[in-house]
Amino acid sequence: MKPRPDSPATVLKRLAEARGRQDRLTHSEHLPARAARFAPWPAGLRPEVLAAVAAGGIDRPWTHQAEAANLANLGKHVVIATGTASGKSLAYLAPVLSALLEGTEAANGRGATCLYLSPTKALAADQLRRIGELRAAEDGALQRVRAAAYDGDTPFQQREWVRQYASLVLTNPDMLHRGILPAHARWASFLRALRFVVIDECHTYRGVFGSHVAQVLRRLRRLCARYGGEPVFLLASATSADPAVSAGRLTGLPVTAVTDDGSPRGETVFALWEPPLTELQGEQGAPVRRSATAEAADLLTDLVLDRIRTVAFVRSRRGAELVAVIAQERLTEAAGPETARRVAAYRGGYLPEERRALERALHSGRLLGLAATSALELGVDVAGLDAVLLTGYPGTRAGLWQQAGRAGRAGQGALAVLIARDDPLDTYLVHHPDSLFRQPVEATVLDPDNPHVLAPHLCAAASELPLTDSDLELFGPSTAPLLPQLERRGMLRRRPGGYFWTRRERAADLVDIRGSGGAPVRIVEADTGRLLGTVDAGSAHTAVHTGAIHLHQGSSYRVRELDLEESVALVEAADPPYSTVARDTTSITVLATDRAVAWGDARLCFGSVEVTNQVVSFLKRRLLTGEILGETKLDLPPRTLRTRAVWWCVTDDQLDDAGLLPEELPGAAHAAEHASIGLLPLFATCDRWDIGGVSTPLHPDTGLPTVFVYDGHPGGAGFAERGFQRAREWLGATLDAITACECERGCPSCIQSPKCGNGNEPLDKAGSIRLLRLLLGTGGPEEAASVPAVAKAAVAKAAGSAQSPEPSA
């Protein structure tokens, strides 16, 4: 029998004391254990289904499972938004399988059907396995439920069988958009009998991708109505703010939320951990922190030596491989090769049997340490872990709790450690624990009415069935003005029966729902001609420029050439000791101001802008240390983007009152822009790479010093709007992050940006503090006493140095 592990607090104490690391632990939070709450299954569920569930060891459901199943039986659209390992799958599978079983007994016709949507093929495959286990546990009536996957890997000879005979089809939004809806006539019997649509991990449908999926679902509802179907939507989500509102925006339907989690939880200790500053210097002589990847490898090594079953989440596939390799090397030195073999890496691209082997190794204890990308979140069932390491903030609180929830899933105590990366948001969070532990999980941001998103889906819908006036409400308020525009562009033709698609090409091919518009750029291995994948046109300049290091399923490739005319990036296998980061320059024009509020003499605005962007170079950064090895110039054309932005302006009188000199203003505005971009993901479900910024001491459209933050997607993605709505909190957090940073003149943890096209120059940390204070109305020179001592030193030192008054990007 495996001995009971030490308490999470004891394990954390040993970690912090090992090698003198106490100063790296900035905070620890204790989350008490929670007992399970049970309820009876609702009436209407088939006894065969309940027998199969009981055979798996579940006699009674938790309260939220019973509540969700009851709502589904009543025909209510429902979203289950509870924690990791709370049994959301069973909550929707019980009513779905019961309905499908009833359908198999229909005297004639196909019987009831269900469509299951997941963001990844791996998760769909995992759900198919679970359904198979339930069917195997009850060897009678459940055998009549025919479940099958329908995705890009499904053999063509099998697809016809799925269309004609499957009662439960598991697929993804991409296949629904490109494969099922355009061929709806061949799916008529399935759509006519569609009883349920299950949308798993619905919190991942955010931003532009979520907006596209929302329109795909409206097209699905329209075709179901055409064949006489009216399915009930069942959604599963990580905990989030306003899940009913988010699910309603996604589906276009009124949705009831189930949020009272009845599942048990073991005691959890959540630690915040900041790697130390090193002797290395970055740009402009800024101090560099030890990388989160190297720190995670050390902690994983110590936890494995302590026989603590641990998973370390790392953002990139290459990073996961690095953490595993470093831990294995150190374990070989400390305890021999046998112990080192108990650590492995997990990434996307593994075959199902390889994933299952890793699961079995973790469950049995043969594997003690795993370094994983987020592929582990979606598609692998892991229980019984003792600890989770998060190598950098995942981007949202929902993602944070989902990853942390992987530990303690069998009810035992658990340790979770968030290791800060060297950037403003991570640094802010490890020094402001209330932002993680005292704030609600953020709402999912999406904007289905974005005309850049909606237009191609109206064309796709018209190619499926002519668009009529009755469709206007379904597709939203932007539809009516868009249809005449599409007609003028020759995309649609109006006839008495509605708007028709008249072109030869497939309308569904107009848009990549995971991209930002434009033809995707193919990534091709130069020596073999093998297609590795694609990247959307909007990301190609930064992701696959000549010289870029591209990661594909754990292997790294160097881009030999980016051919924009042919939309292809030719790559070659490479294993350099560095990663690459593109740098760009940006200018911006205000097209329309939709909303504006006065903050004293300052103004905060939200509206439409046109951004001109050009990638000008890329940096090489050493993988483990973050040290900059060099910069290479690029010759790429500028691109224009019409999008949405939030911006703020201050007056010359305010600058005089704050004692901010004209020569200090460019660096102050530039620093405030960088830091605010870094902090916006705390208030909107975005990544800092989803947004951009521009700052200038005199903008021609405002006539004032102005800082812009804009959505990096055509038409906007809702992120800048969320920044406008929560501007005081967002910019207040930005000010806190800058003032709390222990550096003197600025570093990657506060005001430096990895993608700055101006080489992080000019930057003025002290000036940015004064600029944000005057904007927020929290002070001027007389409040200098409230600035931390290190910041005051920076103010004094920087006051005597002049910066060149040039616009920054």
Side-chain angles (χ1 to χ4, degrees), residues 49 67 151 170 188 194 244 294 467 491 532 606 613 682 688 775:
V49 174
E67 182 185 356
D151 55 38
L170 299 95
L194 192 58
L467 284 165
M491 309 291 283
L532 299 181
F606 171 74
N613 172 274
L682 188 61
R688 72 179 296 160
L775 173 70

Side-chain angles (χ1 to χ4, degrees), residues 240-262:
S240 65
D242 301 322
V245 174
S246 298
R249 288 180 69 78
L250 184 65
T251 61
L253 294 163
V255 179
T256 302
V258 174
T259 58
D260 188 9
D261 193 338

